Amino acid sequence: MIRVTLKDQSVKEFEAGVSVIDVARSLGAGLAKAACCGKIDGEVVDLRTSITKDCNLEICTFSDEEGKKAFWHTAAHVMAQAVQHLFPQAKFGIGPALENGWYYDIGGVKPFTPDQFASIEAEMKKIVKADLPVEKRIITAEEGRTLFAGQDYKLELLEEYAAKGWELSVYTQGDFTDLCAGPHLMSTAPIKAVKLTQATSAYWRGDASRDSMCRMYGTAYPKASELEAYLQQQEEARRRDHNKIGRELEYFTTVDVVGQGLPIILPNGAKVIQQLQRWIEDTEEQRGYQLTKTPYMAKRELYKISGHWDHYLDGMFVLGDPHDETKECFALRPMTCPFQYQVFLNRARSYRDLPMRLGETSTLFRNEDSGEMHGLIRVRQFTISEGHLILRPDQLEEEFRGCLELAKYCLETVGLAEDVSYRFSQWDPNRTDKYEGTAEQWEEAQGAMKKILDHLELDYKVGIDEAAFYGPKLDIQIKNVFGKEDTLITIQIDMLLAQKFGMTYIGEDGKEHYPYIIHRTSIGCYERTLALLLEKYAGALPTWLMPTQAMIVPISEKHHDYAQQVLQKLKAAGIRAEADWRSEKMGYKIREAQLKKIPYMLVVGEKEAAEQTVAVRTRKEGNGGVMSLDDFIALIQEEIRTKQTSVSVIEPKND
C-alpha cells in the first residue's frame, strides 16, 4: 500500500500502481469527470500515470492552469484530427497549449482562411460528440517510423527524441494518432465549445530556410457560456490593445524604413515617458542611488569579461566582425552591468563604501527575433530604469528587500500592483553550458534568494531555466490584454561577476573580499510600461501622466482673451494645458477632447470671464459645475502631486 497526500492535506491509502484517474474516481464521480491532469510532488502528469510510492497528489481541473493546458492540448489534437478528415494531404508538426488555447503547425496545406474555419469547427464537434477515448501507449522508434510514414515532420521529431533517449509516447483518439508527451484528457467529450481564432504562416521550427506551414490557433471550453465570456473579453482586449490606442492617440508609430522593433515615440508618448523617468530618478535619489551615465557601446573585450559574449552574442548588435580577433570590434550594450562596474572600480573601496547603489536611465539594444516583436512591449531598442547594488554579504537581505519595496511602490503608484505575479527564476542544472559558475555557487545563490523570499512571505512560483546566466532572479511578471505574459521588473542576485571583474573591497579585517551584486529595475522598461498603462486605462491615463491635463474650450471667439488668461495661469501653475481655438461648436470640441482622454475640459464664456471661473467637465463624469479658477488649479495640482490614478471626484450636475 502507498500513502497519497491530497491537496486538502488529507491522506488516503491505495494499492501501489493506482492511476491518477482512479484516485480521482475514488474521491467522487464529479471530480473524475472534471479531471484534466494531475500533479505528483509538484510535477504535472497524465491522468493515466501510475502512482508507485508515497506522494503528494493534486487533481487538476479546468480551473487550474495545468488543467487548462491539458484540456487545450487535447483540443489541439481534436482540431488536427478534423483537419486530417477534411484535408488528407495535411502533414502535422507541433501543437502546444498556450495561455488561452493552442496552435498547431500544419504542412501540406495553404494557410486556412476564416471562411474555412466553420467547416473545421463542425468536424471538431462531431469528434467531440463521438466521445472518443484518448489512449496512450509507449512505442519504439521502429514502430514510430511505421506509424508516421509519410508524416515528415513527425518522423524528424521521432528521430530527434529517440537520439536523446527519450521515452516515445503516442496518443490515439479514433483514427488519429499523434507523437506526444501529453498530458491529455481521458476522452474528447469534455470539449464542449470550440473556436478557431486565427491562421497565419510559420516556418517549421522557426527556421526561415525550412518549410512554410499553416499555424492554426484556437481555443475551447467545457461550457459554451465560458467560451462566450472569453470571446467578449478578447473583444475588449482588442479595444484596449496599446497597438490600437497608442497609434490612435498618437503616442507612437512605426515606420518600415526605420525597422521592426524600433518604434518612433511621438510627443504624447515622449511626455509620458519623461514624467515616469523624472519621477523614478527622483525616487531613486531619495533612496540613496547615485546616478551614472555610461556608453551605449563597448569593445567585445568588455563583454568577454562579463560572459555576455559567450552567452548572449546572438542577442547583441555587433559592429564589426565578431570572429576576427585582428580587428577592433564593438557591440551595442544589451544591459548596463559591466559598464556600471567601472564606477566601483574607479578607485579602491572599503567596506564603509557599501552598499553602493548605482542607478541609470539606460538605453539598451537587443536583437529580438522578428516574430517576437509586439508594439511597445517587445522592441529592439528600449530604455530601462536599471540599477546595480554592490554590497557586503551581510547586507544582502536588507538591500534585496529595499529593491522589492521600491518595485512595489512604483507598481502601486502607477496602478499595476494588483496585475503582477512573482516568479523565482532558477537555473537548470542539466544545462550547465548555458550558465556561469559551479553547482555549489548556484546552490548558494538560490538558497540565499529562497531564504529572503520566504522570509518576506512573498507568494511566488518557481521557473526552472529562467535565471540569468550569472545568477537567480525574482521576475515580476505581468500579462498584456491578450494574456501574453512578459517580465516587467527583475531583481537578481549575482555572486559571480565581481570576481570576473576583479571587484574587491577592504573588509573590517583589513583583507580583500568580493562583494555581492544585485541587478534590478524599479519600473522596468519605459516603453513596455507605457504600453501596459495604455491597456490598463484604455488610454485614459492618470492625470499626472497625461500629455495634456486640461483643455480650455472658449464658447466663441469673443471669449478667446479670457481663455488665453486661463491658459497662461494653468501653465504658470505647472499644468499641461491647451486651448481649442477652432471655430467649431462647443459640444464638438468637448467630445473630441473626451475622445483624446483629456482629464478636464474647462468651458469659458462671458459669465466665466466676468466671475473668473471655469465650467468644469471631466472625461468620465460629464458636467462638474462651475468653480473658481484658483479652486480648480488647487484641485488638479493636488491630484497631480498625490499621483491619483483617477480624476478627482467633482459633484456632478445636470448639463
Side-chain angles (χ1 to χ4, degrees):
M1 301 296 288
I2 58 172
R3 292 167 58 84
V4 176
T5 303
L6 302 173
K7 187 176 182 181
D8 63 0
Q9 299 306 305
S10 63
V11 179
K12 293 188 177 293
E13 290 192 344
F14 298 91
E15 289 188 11
V18 65
S19 68
V20 174
I21 189 62
D22 283 338
V23 173
R25 287 171 180 144
S26 75
L27 299 174
L31 178 61
K33 184 178 180 181
C36 297
C37 65
K39 287 175 72 175
I40 297 177
D41 293 333
E43 180 182 354
V44 178
V45 297
D46 193 272
L47 292 170
R48 302 155 189 81
T49 301
S50 296
I51 306 172
T52 57
K53 61 180 181 179
D54 294 353
C55 67
N56 293 300
L57 173 66
E58 182 179 343
I59 307 297
C60 300
T61 67
F62 191 78
S63 62
D64 301 301
E65 179 182 345
E66 298 85 357
K68 282 186 174 71
K69 289 190 174 182
F71 187 97
W72 286 327
H73 199 176
T74 305
H77 281 209
V78 171
M79 186 195 75
Q81 185 177 11
V83 169
Q84 178 180 269
H85 289 173
L86 299 173
F87 304 90
Q89 76 277 21
K91 296 184 178 183
F92 299 100
I94 58 173
L98 304 173
E99 291 285 341
N100 290 299
W102 71 86
Y103 75 75
Y104 212 122
D105 287 341
I106 305 169
V109 296
K110 294 180 179 179
F112 296 118
T113 57
D115 58 358
Q116 294 174 293
F117 289 1
S119 61
I120 299 173
E121 289 171 358
E123 188 64 23
M124 290 177 69
K125 290 174 183 176
K126 291 180 183 178
I127 296 167
V128 169
K129 189 175 181 180
D131 189 11
L132 300 176
V134 180
E135 299 170 334
K136 177 184 180 180
R137 64 190 177 97
I138 307 302
I139 62 170
T140 64
E142 190 57 40
E143 288 176 302
R145 296 182 188 107
T146 301
L147 190 59
F148 295 107
Q151 287 286 337
D152 300 341
Y153 308 114
K154 292 296 179 187
L155 289 173
E156 179 180 326
L157 295 173
L158 176 80
E159 297 299 341
E160 181 179 309
Y161 299 162
K164 292 180 178 179
W166 293 359
E167 181 180 74
L168 303 174
S169 60
V170 295
Y171 284 83
T172 299
Q173 57 199 43
D175 59 358
F176 180 78
T177 298
D178 206 348
L179 179 68
C180 184
H184 283 283
L185 306 181
M186 297 301 293
S187 81
T188 61
I191 307 170
K192 301 297 184 186
V194 300
K195 181 68 175 178
L196 301 183
T197 56
Q198 187 183 12
T200 63
S201 294
Y203 293 113
W204 172 232
R205 311 196 82 170
D207 187 342
S209 66
R210 306 291 300 272
D211 295 349
S212 179
M213 307 175 75
C214 171
R215 177 167 290 182
M216 282 288 289
Y217 290 86
T219 193
Y221 285 82
K223 297 178 181 178
S225 59
E226 293 174 323
L227 175 60
E228 183 60 30
Y230 167 76
L231 295 176
Q232 289 178 359
Q233 182 270 329
Q234 288 295 289
E235 185 61 35
E236 174 66 10
R238 283 187 285 272
R239 187 180 73 81
R240 288 175 173 264
D241 183 4
H242 82 276
N243 259 315
K244 177 178 182 292
I245 292 176
R247 295 171 196 274
E248 290 175 349
L249 298 181
E250 297 187 356
Y251 280 82
F252 76 99
T253 188
T254 51
V255 182
D256 287 344
V257 295
V258 173
Q260 191 179 18
L262 299 170
I264 305 296
I265 308 298
L266 300 174
N268 285 342
K271 178 56 68 176
V272 176
I273 290 176
Q274 180 190 59
Q275 297 307 305
L276 287 169
Q277 180 180 325
R278 287 175 173 174
W279 165 58
I280 290 296
E281 289 181 350
D282 289 346
T283 299
E284 290 182 345
E285 184 175 6
Q286 292 165 7
R287 297 187 181 222
Y289 283 80
Q290 302 176 67
L291 185 66
T292 68
K293 187 173 178 60
T294 57
Y296 285 5
M297 67 178 77
K299 298 196 301 185
R300 72 180 140 213
E301 284 70 23
L302 181 72
Y303 302 115
K304 284 188 173 183
I305 296 171
S306 67
H308 290 100
W309 200 256
D310 293 329
H311 295 280
Y312 207 80
L313 183 60
D314 290 344
M316 297 168 65
F317 289 101
V318 178
L319 309 177
D321 186 346
H323 307 296
D324 187 349
E325 297 289 341
T326 65
K327 295 182 179 178
E328 199 169 48
C329 179
F330 289 80
L332 298 176
R333 63 182 184 186
M335 57 280 294
T336 312
C337 44
F339 297 83
Q340 285 199 330
Y341 297 163
Q342 309 311 311
V343 177
F344 178 89
L345 289 165
N346 187 53
R347 61 175 172 82
R349 302 291 176 180
S350 158
Y351 70 93
R352 296 185 182 90
D353 296 320
L354 305 181
M356 177 182 283
R357 305 184 188 101
L358 303 176
E360 182 166 338
T361 301
S362 305
T363 298
L364 305 178
F365 307 85
R366 295 184 184 175
N367 191 12
E368 300 279 6
D369 292 337
S370 59
E372 294 294 319
M373 300 297 106
H374 178 61
L376 297 178
I377 287 182
R378 191 168 289 274
V379 292
R380 286 175 169 151
Q381 175 184 309
F382 56 94
T383 303
I384 192 170
S385 57
E386 195 167 15
H388 298 88
L389 292 82
I390 304 167
L391 46 110
R392 305 190 307 266
D394 63 286
Q395 297 170 325
L396 180 61
E397 181 167 350
E398 180 181 355
E399 292 302 314
F400 191 96
R401 181 190 294 109
C403 293
L404 182 56
E405 288 174 350
L406 174 58
K408 286 184 173 182
Y409 163 73
C410 293
L411 291 169
E412 288 166 359
T413 302
V414 299
L416 295 176
E418 62 186 23
D419 302 321
V420 302
S421 60
Y422 298 88
R423 183 180 72 194
F424 178 12
S425 296
Q426 303 179 5
W427 82 321
D428 183 349
N430 297 314
R431 301 189 62 184
T432 53
D433 61 315
K434 185 179 175 180
Y435 299 98
E436 296 276 340
T438 65
E440 291 74 20
Q441 289 172 314
W442 276 92
E443 287 174 7
E444 180 184 358
Q446 291 183 170
M449 180 173 277
K450 184 179 188 307
K451 180 181 177 182
I452 293 171
L453 296 179
D454 291 345
H455 189 246
L456 295 175
E457 298 183 345
L458 192 70
D459 183 17
Y460 63 85
K461 293 183 178 178
V462 172
I464 301 299
D465 199 27
E466 297 288 350
F469 69 81
Y470 48 77
K473 55 181 178 161
L474 176 67
D475 288 323
I476 302 180
Q477 302 291 103
I478 194 167
K479 294 181 180 179
N480 67 12
V481 287
F482 294 106
K484 172 69 169 62
E485 185 173 273
D486 284 291
T487 300
L488 182 59
I489 294 172
T490 64
I491 306 172
Q492 307 170 11
I493 292 178
D494 171 13
M495 299 180 179
L496 300 176
L497 292 186
Q499 187 170 354
K500 292 170 75 72
F501 277 90
M503 299 165 65
T504 61
Y505 66 92
I506 303 301
E508 289 185 85
D509 57 2
K511 298 179 180 179
E512 286 191 341
H513 300 270
Y514 292 113
Y516 286 175
I517 301 171
I518 295 177
H519 307 237
R520 48 99 274 175
T521 58
S522 48
I523 196 66
C525 165
Y526 287 106
E527 290 84 353
R528 183 173 293 177
T529 300
L530 173 58
L532 294 165
L533 290 174
L534 288 172
E535 294 184 349
K536 168 81 174 185
Y537 296 104
L541 300 180
T543 300
W544 72 279
L545 288 173
M546 280 298 297
T548 302
Q549 296 166 327
M551 177 66 74
I552 303 160
V553 182
I555 293 175
S556 68
E557 289 186 10
K558 63 183 180 180
H559 307 118
H560 281 192
D561 287 347
Y562 179 59
Q564 184 64 41
Q565 293 176 31
V566 172
L567 180 62
Q568 289 175 347
K569 195 165 183 179
L570 289 174
K571 287 187 173 181
I575 298 161
R576 295 188 291 277
E578 298 178 14
D580 192 334
W581 307 112
R582 297 175 300 168
S583 299
E584 300 283 357
K585 291 183 178 180
M586 184 183 70
Y588 175 83
K589 292 193 283 189
I590 290 173
R591 176 60 180 158
E592 194 166 79
Q594 288 174 329
L595 290 174
K596 291 179 179 179
K597 313 296 184 181
I598 295 173
Y600 295 99
M601 283 67 71
L602 307 180
V603 179
V604 296
E606 187 172 343
K607 182 179 179 182
E608 287 77 18
E611 299 176 356
Q612 293 292 292
T613 60
V614 289
V616 182
R617 301 179 70 98
T618 70
R619 63 189 174 195
K620 183 177 181 181
E621 297 169 346
N623 189 350
V626 177
M627 64 174 61
S628 73
L629 179 56
D630 288 341
D631 285 348
F632 173 76
I633 289 175
L635 177 144
I636 193 172
Q637 283 181 328
E638 180 65 10
E639 183 180 322
I640 293 168
R641 185 189 68 80
T642 57
K643 295 181 172 57
Q644 295 178 26
T645 55
S646 60
V647 297
S648 296
V649 176
I650 301 173
E651 188 66 32
K653 299 182 180 180
N654 294 329
D655 290 344

